Amino acid sequence: MALTDIRDITEEALADLISSWGEKSFRTKQIMEWLWMKQARSFDEMSNLSKDLRDKLKENFTFHSMRADLSQKSSDGTIKIGFRLDDDNFIEGVLIPTEDRMTACVSSQVGCSLSCTFCATGYLKRQRNLKHYEIFDQVALIDELAQKEYGKGLTNIVFMGMGEPLLNYKEVMTAINYITSPKGMGMSPQRLTLSTAGITKMIRKMADDGARFNLAISLHAATDEKRSAIMPINETNNLAELADSLNYFYDKTGSRITLEYCVIQDVNDSLEDGDELAAFASKVVCKVNLIEYNPIDQAEYQKSSGNRTNRFVKHLEERRVIVNLRRSRGKDIDAACGQLANKN
């Protein structure tokens, strides 16, 4: 029978087991520190435990190891990392360095089930959800890479990689807890951003659960007809419901929402589209991040021209929308927004 990953049991369950073995209670704390603060990947690393206790742990548990299987470095310094999972599945993450930030973009699922037509990951079949320790390991490994390549650790984490985080709610929230806990990585929740296509029921649950991290919404169109055409999730989570859930989130958390909007030529970049986006933005306490579209092999969409994009930005600003234009990073290695598709 396959052994359970030791990181897949609660601290309370581990404490009960340690007690049943006749070990002192402080051993549980030592093991938890090795797992989440020191990010041990083998029992042999746990040097302050007796050999007998380490052997017992080996007999009862395992580590589902993840390894960085492939990496590519962009001309702009962005690094895309392929991670090989214990069951031989494959996911991708990205390290995005800037002058003042070192950001990890991490995945939450193997593949995706949402089928957004402009996103390469949307053309992959969803194989399974990631476990919380697999999400945590991505962050830990990307942090190691940042230290090695740039001499400084991560400052920010964005859940904008493969998959829909809110369709893997429990594991994602558990991972965030370990990433932000003083007993784990100790990163400030305000340095984390979770991006969702807009699962309204789960946005409300996040608010009820006291989320302290930032929330971003992959909007990309501001009418139900247009959004449903490119994002099928809108058919069951329409814009009115989305706005209600975002206002609920803001009322509960006080955290301003970010609306993400990929600007696609002749799809959502007209001045009329700008009016529709401004109208939706007026219903929510938010800012808008416009993102350069990155073409993919699976679709014929094209990036909006510089002139049209600049006109779109100006049009939004005239309507008093807080708007930022984000330049794509890592395009030359298929590491930019919407390009993660396990091409290796």
Side-chain angles (χ1 to χ4, degrees), residues 40-46 63:
R41 297 193 184 104
S42 77
F43 296 111
D44 290 331
E45 292 177 47
M46 301 179 180
F63 280 88

Side-chain angles (χ1 to χ4, degrees), residues 203-204 207 215 217 239-255 257 280-286:
I203 291 171
R204 289 174 176 271
L215 176 62
I217 301 298
L239 289 170
E241 293 170 355
L242 180 58
D244 283 346
S245 71
L246 296 180
N247 285 321
Y248 185 85
F249 185 89
Y250 178 78
D251 290 343
K252 285 272 188 174
T253 67
S255 179
I257 315 298
F280 183 83
S282 71
K283 300 173 184 176
V284 180
V285 180
C286 68

Side-chain angles (χ1 to χ4, degrees), residues 99-344:
E99 277 190 24
D100 59 345
R101 290 188 179 192
M102 198 65 62
T103 302
C105 175
V106 299
S107 296
S108 56
Q109 296 178 309
V110 181
C112 187
S113 60
L114 295 190
S115 303
C116 298
T117 61
F118 53 87
C119 176
T121 311
Y123 291 86
L124 299 176
K125 181 182 177 182
R126 188 192 74 83
Q127 300 294 333
R128 66 172 176 87
N129 287 335
L130 293 180
K131 299 292 290 185
H132 64 272
Y133 51 80
E134 293 174 319
I135 298 168
F136 183 91
D137 281 353
Q138 283 178 81
V139 176
L141 288 168
I142 295 175
D143 184 53
E144 283 181 17
L145 183 64
Q147 297 275 7
K148 178 182 173 184
E149 291 286 329
Y150 296 104
K152 52 186 177 180
L154 294 177
T155 61
N156 296 76
I157 301 169
V158 294
F159 286 78
M160 296 182 183
M162 305 173 77
E164 166 53 59
L166 295 190
L167 293 181
N168 187 18
Y169 187 85
K170 180 176 178 291
E171 299 296 329
V172 167
M173 295 304 145
T174 302
I176 288 174
N177 180 56
Y178 282 122
I179 291 166
T180 58
S181 169
K183 297 179 180 180
M185 290 185 180
M187 182 171 280
S188 167
Q190 289 303 304
R191 295 287 186 169
L192 271 68
T193 300
L194 183 147
S195 176
T196 172
I199 317 297
T200 56
K201 180 174 80 170
M202 303 313 291
I203 291 171
R204 289 174 176 271
K205 178 168 174 53
M206 270 196 304
D208 289 337
D209 288 346
R212 295 182 295 135
F213 46 82
N214 302 302
L215 176 62
I217 301 298
S218 291
L219 189 69
H220 310 307
T223 67
D224 282 322
E225 180 182 7
K226 185 163 287 190
R227 193 166 189 263
S228 293
I230 61 174
M231 299 181 68
I233 189 65
N234 191 74
E235 294 171 9
T236 51
N237 295 261
N238 65 39
L239 289 170
E241 293 170 355
L242 180 58
D244 283 346
S245 71
L246 296 180
N247 285 321
Y248 185 85
F249 185 89
Y250 178 78
D251 290 343
K252 285 272 188 174
T253 67
S255 179
R256 184 172 64 177
I257 315 298
T258 298
L259 303 180
E260 299 168 311
Y261 193 99
C262 270
V263 191
I264 306 172
Q265 182 85 33
D266 297 326
V267 172
N268 63 359
D269 66 341
S270 71
L271 296 186
E272 183 181 354
D273 291 314
D275 289 335
E276 291 159 354
L277 176 54
F280 183 83
S282 71
K283 300 173 184 176
V284 180
V285 180
C286 68
K287 62 179 180 179
V288 173
N289 277 354
L290 296 182
I291 304 166
E292 291 181 317
Y293 178 67
N294 302 296
I296 57 173
D297 294 342
Q298 300 91 333
E300 295 182 358
Y301 299 126
Q302 295 299 317
K303 170 184 170 182
S304 183
S305 70
N307 286 340
R308 284 176 70 97
T309 300
N310 291 335
R311 185 180 68 166
F312 196 82
V313 171
K314 186 169 183 284
H315 195 64
L316 290 174
E317 289 175 338
E318 288 170 351
R319 279 145 187 78
R320 299 187 177 181
V321 176
I322 301 170
V323 58
N324 299 295
L325 178 60
R326 299 293 189 200
R327 300 296 179 186
S328 289
R329 302 289 302 276
K331 287 185 287 189
D332 55 330
I333 56 168
D334 293 325
C337 182
Q339 290 187 313
L340 299 186
N342 290 349
K343 291 167 72 173
N344 53 62

